[in-house]
Structures are given as C-alpha cells and as structure tokens.
Amino acid sequence: GHKKWITGISWEPVHLSAPCRRFVSASKDGDARIWDVALKKCVMCLSGHTLAVTCVKWGGDGMIYTGSQDCTIKVWETSQGKLIRELKGHGHWVNSLALSTEYVLRTGAFDHTSKTYSSPEEMKK
C-alpha cells in the first residue's frame, strides 16, 4: 500500500463499528490509508497532503484527522474518503494530534468498574 514508511496508526472507535476491524495508517509518502483486517487489504486511500503525513487520529465522530509536514491538518469523512475540512495556519510541521474524545473512547466501552448511573446526565459528568 504505502510507498514509504508508516508514521502513525489509529483504530476505528469501537462504538462506531463493533467488532472493530478497520484502522487508518499515515505515511511519509503523503497518504493515509484505511485498512480492513478481515479483508486483509486497503479499502480507501486519503490523498491530498503535499508532504509526509506525520500523525493520524480516527475521531469518535467518525472523521479522520491527519497532520502533515505541509503545515496543515485535514479532516476526512470515511464513507467515501472525501476531504471535508482543511485547517491552515501552522508555521511549521504538525507533529501530533489529540482529540477531546480520547478519554471517553479509551474508558467508555471497557468500563471495568461496573459503575451504574442514575441518569444520562450523571453518566456524561
């Protein structure tokens, strides 16, 4: 798939599709690719960066976020791989990304404490 080395990988959040079988990889070749582990192949290529993709995150909203040496962050939808937003303004490479949903994604589906909540509002807190 990729023509150069891989710089990052992010799994599709489990609450979007269980069991989780897709992940996205970012590469020095300037592309991000969505892979299906059951099919054992690349199912979509996200191209649009002009330099290496340094980081990638698959967000809880279903969008994929890529940061690049071209000083941009691009936001992609995952059904057709279309670019939906481009964030410009960095003075140098974008080396890392963080999403506000990461804690919820890491703990929400695998809550081993068996805590029960009295209301949806309490659960959100």
Side-chain angles (χ1 to χ4, degrees):
H2 287 294
K3 311 245 181 324
K4 294 188 178 179
W5 60 89
I6 293 172
T7 56
I9 292 175
S10 182
W11 283 94
E12 180 177 21
V14 70
H15 73 275
L16 296 176
S17 178
C20 185
R21 58 185 256 184
R22 295 191 306 169
F23 67 92
V24 61
S25 60
S27 173
K28 180 79 172 164
D29 64 13
D31 294 336
R33 292 179 179 268
I34 299 174
W35 302 85
D36 187 309
V37 295
L39 298 176
K40 300 179 183 178
K41 68 178 189 174
C42 175
V43 293
M44 198 173 305
C45 182
L46 310 174
S47 28
H49 284 289
T50 57
L51 294 173
V53 179
T54 55
C55 49
V56 62
K57 296 285 185 181
W58 199 317
D61 58 357
M63 303 300 167
I64 291 176
Y65 302 82
T66 55
S68 172
Q69 289 180 346
D70 66 11
C71 304
T72 66
I73 297 169
K74 294 185 186 287
V75 184
W76 311 84
E77 64 86 29
T78 56
S79 63
Q80 297 178 6
K82 290 184 180 178
L83 178 66
I84 58 171
R85 189 167 296 125
E86 182 177 29
L87 307 171
K88 297 179 179 181
H90 284 85
H92 208 280
W93 301 351
V94 178
N95 292 315
S96 63
L97 293 168
L99 302 176
S100 63
T101 57
E102 287 180 339
Y103 177 78
V104 173
L105 294 177
R106 187 175 66 243
T107 60
F110 304 104
D111 184 8
H112 61 281
T113 63
S114 300
K115 182 170 171 65
T116 56
Y117 301 96
S118 61
S119 69
E121 291 76 26
E122 182 188 359
M123 184 173 63
K124 288 177 185 176
K125 289 180 187 178

